Amino acid sequence: MYGRSDEAWDQLTDAGLKFLVERAQLRKVTTYTEMNYVLVRRTGLPGFDFERVDERAAMGHLLGLIVERDYPDSRLLISALVHYLGANDAGPGFYALAQHLDLLPKGSSPMAKLEFWIGQVTALHTLHARS
């Protein structure tokens, strides 16, 4: 899928989840750009080219895989910690996934979406906070 093998997706999912948990432990968020850089450095795999639509979609696919792996344990959307450089919340894929999982009503207002995102980030920081 997206020109990457199942093995590559597994490596990226493992490294991505570990990185996002680290960010949560530090009570921080990250950007797509930073996450891409960390994935390249930690896996040695080619990065995502955000100039290309299919590569942006591939990063969204990866975030979905990460959530799929983490959600059964955390009951949270760890992809909430990833946002666009210069933006103050998650991307549209995050909200679509939240709606798909019935965590956010379809047709939610921008304010309801923002409050949902803030709640997810806060809960992730609390869950993973270092003692």
Side-chain angles (χ1 to χ4, degrees):
M1 179 157 256
Y2 296 105
R4 291 172 174 84
S5 68
D6 289 344
E7 180 182 282
W9 284 116
D10 284 342
Q11 282 183 274
L12 290 165
T13 301
D14 289 344
L17 179 56
K18 183 175 186 222
F19 173 64
L20 292 179
V21 167
E22 290 167 0
R23 298 310 290 170
Q25 288 171 334
L26 296 170
R27 296 187 166 272
K28 296 193 180 281
V29 295
T30 189
T31 64
Y32 287 92
T33 303
E34 181 182 31
M35 184 162 180
N36 192 36
Y37 172 78
V38 168
L39 291 171
V40 169
R41 191 168 38 97
R42 291 186 181 184
T43 67
L45 295 169
F48 296 90
D49 178 358
F50 296 134
E51 297 295 317
R52 294 178 38 189
V53 172
D54 62 326
E55 289 285 292
R56 290 192 301 270
M59 176 59 92
H61 175 72
L62 173 60
L63 290 173
L65 292 173
I66 292 169
V67 167
E68 190 176 285
R69 184 165 299 166
D70 184 65
Y71 185 78
D73 293 327
S74 72
R75 307 307 290 172
L76 297 166
L77 302 181
I78 197 160
S79 62
L81 299 177
V82 185
H83 60 87
Y84 296 114
L85 194 60
N88 288 326
D89 71 343
F94 168 78
Y95 297 111
L97 180 58
Q99 291 171 342
H100 175 74
L101 295 172
D102 292 325
L103 301 173
L104 181 68
K106 291 181 182 5
S108 291
S109 70
M111 182 56 74
K113 288 179 178 179
L114 185 62
E115 289 172 356
F116 174 77
W117 173 71
I118 290 168
Q120 289 288 298
V121 171
T122 301
L124 286 158
H125 287 168
T126 301
L127 176 66
H128 295 290
R130 291 186 172 165
S131 326

